[in-house]
Amino acid sequence: MPSLPGVGFRFAGVGAHLPEKVIANDDLSDSMDTTDEWIRERTGIGARHVGGMTSELAIEAGRQALERSGLAPADIQQVILATTSPDFMCPGTAPAVAHGLGLDCGAFDVQAACSGWVYGLVVANGFLLQGMDNLLVIGAESLDRITDYTARDTGILFGNGAGAAVIQRDDSDAGRILGWDLGADGDYVHILYSEHDGVLTMDGKEVFRQAVTAIQRTTTASLEMAGLTVDDIDLVIPHQANVRIVEAAWKRLGFSMDKTAMILEHTGNTSAATIPMALADSLYKERITEGSKVLFLGFGAGMTWSSVIVDYAGSLTGTAAW
Ligand code: ACO
């Protein structure tokens, strides 16, 4: 496993955005045989938001992050957009997002499903090592375009949203990535996928099992690289798929839910957008302060998985999108 040569960085600005229209659990009982109680108990989800194109949601989250960073559009040197629900098959959505934000820089999509934003963070760190100063890493999804809201397995889970962070080089070395791990296993494509112009099809039980295994594997690898233990981590920001997946993995790893950022109840599963939105929420709630060791943890279709441990620098204020 390669280690990452050190480069100091900070989150200079964050943003989170959800479209206005909400589908509450009770609304779903009109289109399928389900109840609010069942969905909450089995997933932890209370509502999901729908509407908006991926680019529109990404632009709003990106605009907030840029504004909070105090930087000018000309300062951003790269846009990395993690999404599994792009506006078009071709081209990627990132160029439209960069254009909408008035940026003049490179822009590309990362398609690693729910692991995508953490993949993007590692890629951004690589750009910092190559001499860049400011990048915008966004996770945005319009999953309502590939979700059948009459299906009892997938229809209860997915929603739209976007989260963004400005990643800024900081040579004071106060903040940095301490450990990371990215992984994929294409043998599991069939457990969660959407055909072109199709809807998400899922083997829920197998996704659940594989997600718990992936979380254990990637967390252990990142902790090992960082030379840290579970006790050293101040906050975990996991992908928000199903609270029971997180609880099952935590039982094996020894993490506590007290140290875990969860926004799932308000958002549902927004794939690549969940982690940056939960980051914005954690900063808003002052759960992250200077020197906090934060574990970002992605897992999802592919299968893919990703984790990054960050030594946090800065005194940023986040935002709540709901
Ligand atoms: N509402 C009410 N009852 C339901 C529903 C529903 N929506 N769906 C199933 N049931 C009932 C079934 O009929 C069954 O009833 P029975 O025992 O009387 O026969 C019972 O609940 C159990 O059904 P299962 O299909 O076994 O439900 P399960 O416990 O597996 O839960 C779920 C389904 C919630 C989808 C679960 O498998 C899951 O969360 N899997 C993980 C999926 C996931 O998180 N995907 C996210 C995308 S990937 C990622 O982001 C990692």
Side-chain angles (χ1 to χ4, degrees):
M1 170 59 64
S3 67
L4 202 60
V7 57
F9 87 95
R10 59 178 58 233
F11 294 108
V14 292
H17 177 64
L18 291 164
E20 255 175 53
K21 188 173 178 202
V22 176
I23 300 182
N25 291 346
D26 281 335
D27 300 326
L28 287 174
S29 347
D30 296 338
S31 54
M32 68 173 86
D33 180 13
T34 195
T35 61
D36 175 56
E37 193 190 357
W38 193 94
I39 299 172
R40 282 181 188 276
E41 196 185 300
R42 294 294 179 110
T43 70
I45 296 169
R48 67 289 296 140
H49 293 241
V50 293
M53 302 270 284
T54 295
S55 56
E56 291 168 353
L57 304 173
I59 288 167
E60 177 51 28
R63 191 193 55 73
Q64 290 175 24
L66 194 57
E67 221 170 82
R68 291 205 173 93
S69 73
L71 294 172
D75 296 324
I76 301 295
Q77 294 157 314
Q78 189 73 46
V79 173
I80 301 172
L81 174 69
T83 186
T84 198
S85 49
D87 287 0
F88 299 102
M89 261 307 294
C90 175
T93 304
V97 174
H99 176 72
L101 290 167
L103 309 181
D104 180 14
C105 61
F108 62 93
D109 292 8
V110 167
Q111 165 42 309
C114 311
S115 310
W117 190 81
V118 178
Y119 265 71
L121 191 55
V122 175
V123 173
N125 200 77
F127 279 117
L128 293 181
L129 286 165
Q130 289 179 10
M132 283 193 184
D133 293 311
N134 298 297
L135 301 94
L136 189 54
V137 185
I138 307 176
E141 304 284 6
S142 51
L143 295 176
D144 60 354
R145 296 167 65 213
I146 52 168
T147 300
D148 174 1
Y149 286 103
T150 65
R152 287 170 104 205
D153 56 350
T154 51
I156 60 172
L157 298 177
F158 298 106
N160 296 2
V166 173
I167 309 297
Q168 181 170 56
R169 187 188 180 94
D170 177 357
D171 289 325
S172 74
D173 257 11
R176 59 175 52 244
I177 287 183
L178 301 174
W180 63 281
D181 175 65
L182 304 180
D185 187 347
D187 205 20
Y188 292 98
V189 170
H190 63 283
I191 67 174
L192 180 56
Y193 65 93
S194 166
E195 308 265 10
H196 293 312
D197 297 323
V199 290
L200 286 163
T201 302
M202 179 178 78
D203 176 346
K205 283 199 192 320
E206 192 58 17
V207 168
F208 197 114
R209 265 193 295 273
Q210 293 305 328
V212 172
T213 304
I215 291 172
Q216 274 186 282
R217 175 178 171 166
T218 193
T219 300
T220 305
S222 278
L223 284 172
E224 212 172 284
M225 187 191 287
L228 299 175
T229 69
V230 164
D231 294 338
D232 297 317
I233 300 298
D234 298 298
L235 186 71
V236 189
I237 303 186
H239 169 52
Q240 318 273 313
N242 179 330
V243 71
R244 287 170 52 235
I245 291 178
V246 176
E247 285 167 353
W250 273 201
K251 244 183 220 163
R252 298 185 191 192
L253 282 162
F255 277 118
S256 102
M257 288 305 285
D258 294 348
K259 287 187 178 182
T260 307
M262 296 303 296
I263 60 169
L264 179 73
E265 184 187 354
H266 313 282
T267 62
N269 182 345
T270 60
S271 194
T274 67
I275 294 177
M277 283 204 293
L279 167 65
D281 184 60
S282 300
L283 287 163
Y284 174 72
K285 291 176 176 153
E286 298 181 359
R287 297 188 74 186
I288 303 174
T289 51
E290 183 83 26
S292 293
K293 309 277 185 296
V294 183
L295 167 64
F296 296 95
L297 181 57
F299 49 93
M303 295 276 300
T304 56
W305 53 89
S306 54
S307 57
V308 167
I309 299 172
V310 166
D311 191 356
Y312 177 78
S315 54
L316 200 57
T317 321
T319 181
W322 43 91

